[in-house]
Amino acid sequence: MIAYHPKAREIGENVLASGGNAFDAFVATVVAENVLAEGASSLAGPLGVLVYRVGDKKLSYLDADFNDPLESAGRWTADDPKPGKTALVPGAPAGLEALANEYGSIPFAKLL
């Protein structure tokens, strides 16, 4: 397990030792890095994850960028440039939750 902060690495190793899989360890480690290594990592932005599953040899990419507004009417346009119509919502938290839900074996709330 590799992590910027030694305590984050320890958290990931503990997740694996307690029966979690690699996705669980990744999610827990990334969340810990965001707390322990502020400035080196942040939940206030996008998240990109290259995913390879050995069992089915499937390679995919999770692009958890900033989220779009729920309604297209909330988008800024040149025709309607009124400020404050929308706000960027960081994709990292949703991306980590998606990884935990899709591939993990431990509930996302417990990994947090």
Side-chain angles (χ1 to χ4, degrees):
M1 167 101 0
I2 298 172
Y4 180 80
H5 195 282
K7 185 67 176 169
R9 184 192 73 240
E10 183 182 317
I11 288 169
E13 289 171 347
N14 288 341
V15 168
L16 290 172
S18 69
N21 63 27
F23 292 100
D24 297 321
F26 174 80
V27 169
T29 301
V30 169
V31 171
E33 288 275 57
N34 288 310
V35 174
L36 297 167
E38 58 187 84
S41 186
S42 173
L43 283 173
L47 173 75
V49 180
L50 187 61
V51 177
Y52 178 72
R53 295 183 307 177
V54 174
D56 59 7
K57 296 185 167 97
K58 183 178 177 185
L59 181 66
S60 59
Y61 182 74
L62 171 70
D63 182 4
D65 203 351
F66 289 97
N67 297 320
D68 292 332
L70 295 176
E71 295 185 29
S72 59
R75 293 181 190 272
W76 182 96
T77 66
D79 294 331
D80 187 9
K82 185 169 47 175
K85 288 184 64 176
T86 189
L88 288 177
V89 178
L96 291 169
E97 182 179 25
L99 283 173
N101 291 341
E102 179 73 22
Y103 305 113
S105 61
I106 297 174
F108 182 61
K110 186 171 182 181
L111 294 172
L112 292 181

